[in-house]
Amino acid sequence: MVARSSSLVLLSLLFAFGFLLSSYSVESKPIESAPLRKRTARTTAPAGALVVSKSPSSGQYSTVQAAVNALPDDGSEQTIFIETGTYDEQVYIDRSGMLTIMGETANTANYESNVVTISNSLSAASAGSDDASGTLRVHKDDFALYNVNVKNTFGQGSQALALSAYGTNHGYYGSGFYSYQDTVLAEQGAQYYGYCYIEGAVDFIFGQHGFAFFQRSTIASVGPGAITADGPASKTDGLFVINESTIEQSSAATEDLTGLVYLGRPWTEYATVAYTSCTLGSIINSAGWEVWSTSEPNTEDVTFAEYDNGGAGSAGTRASFATKLTSNAGYTAAAVLGSDWTSWVDQGYVDQ
């Protein structure tokens, strides 16, 4: 009787042990395959980085501009790390060499946990030009920005840029850009925006010679108007593609924007903009696109294209000058940014 009881106990233990092993192996696979590499905190500065702080200690800087000014202009690769806080200033960058600016965050995956903001209030009317009004003005090639919110708080009444980007091989990752009119100027060169937030009302993604690819971002309208305003001098002079992104009404909007927002309008007749595999909210007018103005429509040679979009705003009869694509050929990241794009775009913000 004792021997039989012992055997039963042993069999029970072996069965339980086998069950635990089976459960562990099933549950461990998702953990191993989950894309965790980018969903991590960044709370300390990388080795060798200049540090910007609201309470700077010895060797640190109290403003972003002071840190930029302290960088050697010798073509070397440099990094600036910004600690938590709002920095009320305008920042201008024109040094040579790769520069990366990183904001402190509890989650690098996107903009939602950002705790660093660069803020300024300046209109183009007061500054003298669109570019001069920018809160962050990047006049250089080879630049990356991670997890920083950039705001121009001027509001309605004039163009007022959050970002003025003049340069190629720019990467903006998990960052937020806020204004009302002309929020992001992607003026020239190849530029990548991944997991970003862009808010505005009128022409708030615009430029003349830029090749910009917006990937898995949130584009939020705070008022009626067109999202994009592309103004190239020819059909080969610029291209904006917004891919796998969400177009929605901003929580800061003070009115219902249903049907009051357009995907874009042509700054010049050669405007080329495509929305591919996006979710378009009900704010998008059924025409999709609008003319520049009644006296100057600028629609002769535009390419205003859509491919594989969904959501309430993807339905309806589009404007006569709009194009419905049957594939995204010609509008991929490689087509927009160049065949070498994987060498300078952070692939962690592509493959997540």
Side-chain angles (χ1 to χ4, degrees):
M1 188 75 171
V2 173
R4 185 178 178 184
S5 297
S6 299
S7 298
L8 288 172
V9 171
L10 181 58
L11 286 171
S12 299
L13 288 172
L14 288 171
F15 178 82
F17 181 68
F19 177 80
L20 287 172
L21 283 176
S22 174
S23 299
Y24 175 79
S25 63
V26 170
E27 293 177 356
S28 65
K29 287 182 180 178
I31 296 174
E32 291 174 352
S33 62
L36 298 177
R37 65 185 182 283
K38 196 160 68 66
R39 293 188 176 91
T40 56
R42 186 195 301 115
T43 56
T44 57
L50 276 62
V51 177
V52 180
S53 175
K54 299 300 292 184
S55 302
S57 57
S58 178
Q60 297 182 342
Y61 301 88
S62 60
T63 67
V64 180
Q65 189 64 62
V68 170
N69 293 344
L71 293 169
D73 192 9
D74 57 4
S76 60
E77 184 171 345
Q78 300 289 332
T79 301
I80 294 174
F81 177 81
I82 310 175
E83 294 183 351
T84 299
T86 297
Y87 298 82
D88 297 310
E89 58 177 309
Q90 193 176 24
V91 178
Y92 179 79
I93 306 171
D94 66 351
R95 71 172 297 275
S96 59
M98 178 66 200
L99 175 61
T100 300
I101 296 180
M102 298 178 167
E104 180 178 351
T105 180
N107 185 352
T108 61
N110 54 43
Y111 61 86
E112 295 178 359
S113 297
N114 289 1
V115 291
V116 172
T117 298
I118 303 172
S119 183
N120 193 50
S121 177
L122 181 62
S123 70
S126 296
S129 70
D130 275 354
D131 168 52
S133 73
T135 298
L136 176 61
R137 301 170 63 204
V138 185
H139 283 239
K140 68 180 304 299
D141 297 337
D142 305 314
F143 178 76
L145 182 74
Y146 291 84
N147 301 106
V148 175
N149 292 332
V150 182
K151 298 184 178 183
N152 191 324
T153 60
F154 178 80
Q156 300 184 46
S158 174
Q159 298 95 326
L161 278 61
L163 172 66
S164 180
Y166 282 70
T168 197
N169 295 4
H170 283 202
Y172 299 90
Y173 309 102
S175 293
F177 303 97
Y178 302 75
S179 187
Y180 190 88
Q181 183 172 353
D182 292 9
T183 304
V184 170
L185 172 57
E187 178 60 11
Q188 65 186 46
Q191 303 178 10
Y192 179 86
Y193 298 77
Y195 291 88
C196 288
Y197 178 89
I198 303 173
E199 179 179 286
V202 179
D203 305 338
F204 59 100
I205 297 174
F206 77 112
Q208 293 176 294
H209 316 291
F211 291 80
F213 194 81
F214 301 83
Q215 173 93 358
R216 298 176 188 172
S217 294
T218 298
I219 297 172
S221 290
V222 72
I227 295 170
T228 64
D230 188 30
S234 71
K235 290 304 288 184
T236 59
D237 195 32
L239 169 62
F240 293 163
V241 172
I242 299 170
N243 179 59
E244 297 180 345
S245 295
T246 299
I247 317 302
E248 65 183 22
Q249 177 167 318
S250 165
S251 60
T254 58
E255 61 177 302
D256 181 8
L257 299 179
T258 300
L260 299 180
V261 176
Y262 294 84
L263 299 173
R265 61 178 184 150
W267 190 4
T268 68
E269 65 181 280
Y270 303 110
T272 305
V273 180
Y275 287 73
T276 59
S277 302
C278 291
T279 300
L280 309 181
S282 61
I283 62 172
I284 299 301
N285 186 277
S286 60
W289 311 83
E290 65 174 342
V291 299
W292 181 252
S293 68
T294 54
S295 61
E296 191 177 3
N298 287 349
T299 59
E300 296 90 338
D301 295 295
V302 300
T303 301
F304 281 161
E306 296 178 67
Y307 169 72
D308 192 35
N309 294 324
S314 66
T317 302
R318 289 313 202 219
S320 60
F321 48 87
T323 300
K324 189 76 169 180
L325 301 172
T326 57
S327 81
N328 66 344
Y331 300 98
T332 62
V336 177
L337 304 176
S339 59
D340 67 338
W341 74 283
T342 57
S343 68
W344 58 269
V345 171
D346 187 336
Q347 296 301 295
Y349 288 81
V350 176
D351 301 330
Q352 178 180 332

